[in-house]
Each structure stands twice: as structure tokens, then as C-alpha cells.
Amino acid sequence: KFGFLPFLFMDDIRRNFIWIKRKLHPEKQIVHHAGEKITRSEFLVKAATVAAAIPFTSLSWSVIYGAYDYQVKYQTLFIDELPRSFDGIRIGQISDTHVGSFFHPKTVKAGVELLLCEKPDMIFFTGDLVNAKATEMRGYQDIFSKISAPLGVYSVLGNHDYGGSYYGKNPSPEKAKNLADIKTTHKNMGWDLLCNENRILKINGEAIGILGVENWGINHQEKYGDVGKAVKGTEAVPTKLLLSHDPSYWRAHILPQYPEIDVIFSGHTHGMQMGILTDYFQWSPVQYRYKEWAGLYHEGTQQLYVNVGYGFLNFPGRLGVLPEITIFELKHASFNLLKDVVYHPVSSMLQPG
């Protein structure tokens, strides 16, 4: 409609000028000759139709194809104090499945198989398994149960997992049971759900910490994340990786208070499911709400990666910001070149080769 209406408005303005001209000069009438192929009004209507067809076609494509066009993105994470035994470890990440929005189980399964084909050593899921209700997992639990990795699958809760959008903001027995069922679902799928806690992984006597916090976000009510609890017991671990659904937690709490956290893995933004993501440029309306919304960000020696999500919510499609499966490789390196960086978003659209 926005593409169509400006042309009709232009035609209205043109018609008003003609009406005024006829009133001022009634002796001069504008005559349409039979030999003319098309009138100005017809031209504007046809132009309006073409203009409206472009966004309509794009949005139709984003629903039919874009919603399930899973993209595997590759990102190397250089960590200064990474133990040598973990150098080269591969981590897979998915986020924001929003299972209640799916309507093509076979295509969803194909995305899971795409993740498993990458053979990651461990996998992170960063929240929003469902839209609101645990029952949405019926028909999909078996699909996501296939996600496994040698070093484990670690997950956290997202704001939608607390059920507020269905059960309301206030506590209730139904809401509490729904959350308990969500947590049970993670367990049944073999995912290690981290609720303000940590796991210490050891290889050859060397260790890294996998930390996970409950949801905390600036722009919504669910503020249960407590990294203070999650970090306890990891003081002697040189490398700490944190799962936090909402990327705003990084700037609000991690940067000012927890310099020992090396990398945060987040989701939540979806990239608003619409925008432009290239190696050299990225834009989406969501950037006016979230400073960090897609890809890799550095500040000092700390890093944040925002996955734009596996599923979709509200609008059943994706235009320009396609569903993401991220594969990370951990590498030992010095951050000397990054110590003067204050804020630097880095696109993470690189493919092998």
C-alpha cells in the first residue's frame, strides 16, 4: 500500500491542477485523443501497481523461502588466555527457535541436520525455545533432541520461555508449571540448562568455564539473570564463555563489572527479521533499539556475538536477515591489536574459503 498510494496521490494532485485550470480557462478544454496509447492517469496507476508489486513480491519470497533458508556462518574467536587443549575447538550456536511459529517440521529438521553436519564439539542454545507455552514443543521435541555434541549441549532461557506473553506478567500456578515444563523439556532433549550457574570443562588437565544466566533485558520485564551466581567457582578458570539470551546484558553488566568474561553468546534481536547483512555493511530497524544486534562485537579484550535466530516471531518470514546457524572456532591469540578499540562491530558472514 505504501508503494501504491504515492502514485495515486500524484494523480490526485495532477487532477486538481487540471480542475483549477478548467475553472480559470473554461474555453480551453483538455481533450484526450484516441490515438494516444495511454493517459497520464493510466500511466500512474500502472506505475503504482509495479511499485506495490516489488515489496509484495519481496515479502512473499521472505515467507515462502526466507523463513527456512538456514545460513551457516563461520566465526573465529581469538582468546588470549585460551588453554592450548581447547585451541581449535568448534562451537555451534542456534538461538530463538520460537517453535510455536513453525509450520514446516521437515524443513526445521533439515536445519538441525545442517548444524549436525558441521560436527561441532559443543553446542550452545541461547534462549526462546517457544513463543510462550511448553506444549508448543509437541511434534518438535524429537527433532531438537537430535542436537548433540561430544562436549555437550548447553542452553539458557529467553524472555519468551517464561510465558509472560500468554500467562501475563504476574506470578500464577499455571505460569510456574509452564516454566517447569520448559525446563523439563530441555532436560528431556539432553540439553544442559544453565540457570545462573556454570559447568567446567576439562581436557588434558586444562579447563574452561561455560556459564549461563537466566534472561535479563533492558527492554522487557524478565530480569532474572545473575552473573554473580554464574561466575562462582570459576575464579581459577582462565577462559569463561557466557550464554545470555539478551545482548543488552553485555553492556549493562558484563563490561562494567566482569572483565574476566571473555565471550558472551546471545540472540534475542532476530535482526528484526528484515534488513541488510553483508561483509561490509549491515542495517536493520532493530539497531535503533539495540546497539549490538547482529554478529561479533569487541570492547577491549571482551567479545559479544549476537545470533539473529533460527526461527521467527509474529511476521512468518525473513527478508535480508536469514535464519542463522553459527559455527565458532576457538583460537589462542593475543589481543594487542584490539586493546585500543572502544566499540567495533564486525560482520560475521564469512564462509569457508
Side-chain angles (χ1 to χ4, degrees), residues 102-292:
F102 289 140
F103 44 88
H104 287 311
K106 289 184 179 180
T107 315
V108 175
K109 182 180 178 181
V112 169
E113 293 171 349
L114 192 61
L115 166 63
L116 296 177
C117 282
E118 294 294 330
K119 301 185 185 305
D121 299 293
M122 56 181 154
I123 296 173
F124 293 162
F125 174 76
T126 46
D128 277 0
L129 181 65
V130 298
N131 290 340
K133 300 175 69 177
T135 54
E136 296 168 19
M137 287 300 292
R138 292 172 183 168
Y140 289 94
Q141 181 171 314
D142 289 344
I143 294 175
F144 287 100
S145 293
K146 297 183 183 298
I147 295 178
S148 62
L151 296 179
V153 179
Y154 303 92
S155 59
V156 292
L157 298 172
N159 56 301
H160 279 266
D161 295 321
Y162 295 90
S165 60
Y166 182 81
Y167 295 97
K169 297 178 181 179
N170 297 324
S172 69
E174 295 80 11
K175 187 176 180 181
K177 182 182 184 303
N178 184 70
L179 179 58
D181 290 343
I182 290 285
K183 293 180 178 181
T184 299
T185 299
H186 282 251
K187 182 180 180 180
N188 291 341
M189 293 191 299
W191 297 6
D192 191 352
L193 180 63
L194 303 176
C195 296
N196 299 325
E197 52 192 322
N198 67 74
R199 304 288 183 264
I200 296 178
L201 300 185
K202 292 185 178 181
I203 299 178
N204 300 326
E206 296 182 304
I208 65 172
I210 309 297
L211 292 67
V213 293
E214 293 196 57
N215 187 74
W216 190 99
I218 290 177
N219 296 313
H220 43 78
Q221 297 293 321
E222 296 81 4
K223 299 183 187 295
Y224 305 115
D226 189 337
V227 72
K229 291 181 180 179
V231 81
K232 285 182 179 179
T234 65
E235 292 80 7
V237 179
T239 297
K240 299 177 182 63
L241 309 179
L242 174 66
L243 283 65
S244 172
H245 175 67
D246 193 310
S248 61
Y249 198 61
W250 186 57
R251 192 163 293 281
H253 287 278
I254 304 303
L255 290 179
Q257 300 178 51
Y258 295 93
E260 66 269 32
I261 303 294
D262 296 286
V263 187
I264 297 185
F265 300 84
S266 295
H268 182 62
T269 70
H270 297 208
M272 207 171 178
Q273 297 170 210
M274 180 184 70
I276 302 170
L277 288 177
T278 71
D279 292 342
Y280 308 103
F281 178 77
Q282 57 186 39
W283 176 88
S284 169
V286 78
Q287 71 187 50
Y288 304 113
R289 186 176 177 89
Y290 291 94
K291 189 173 183 179
E292 293 85 21

Side-chain angles (χ1 to χ4, degrees), residues 323-340:
E324 177 178 355
I325 298 167
T326 319
I327 302 297
F328 302 94
E329 183 178 10
L330 303 185
K331 299 296 293 182
H332 183 279
S334 170
F335 268 81
N336 289 336
L337 295 177
L338 297 175
K339 287 184 178 178
D340 292 329

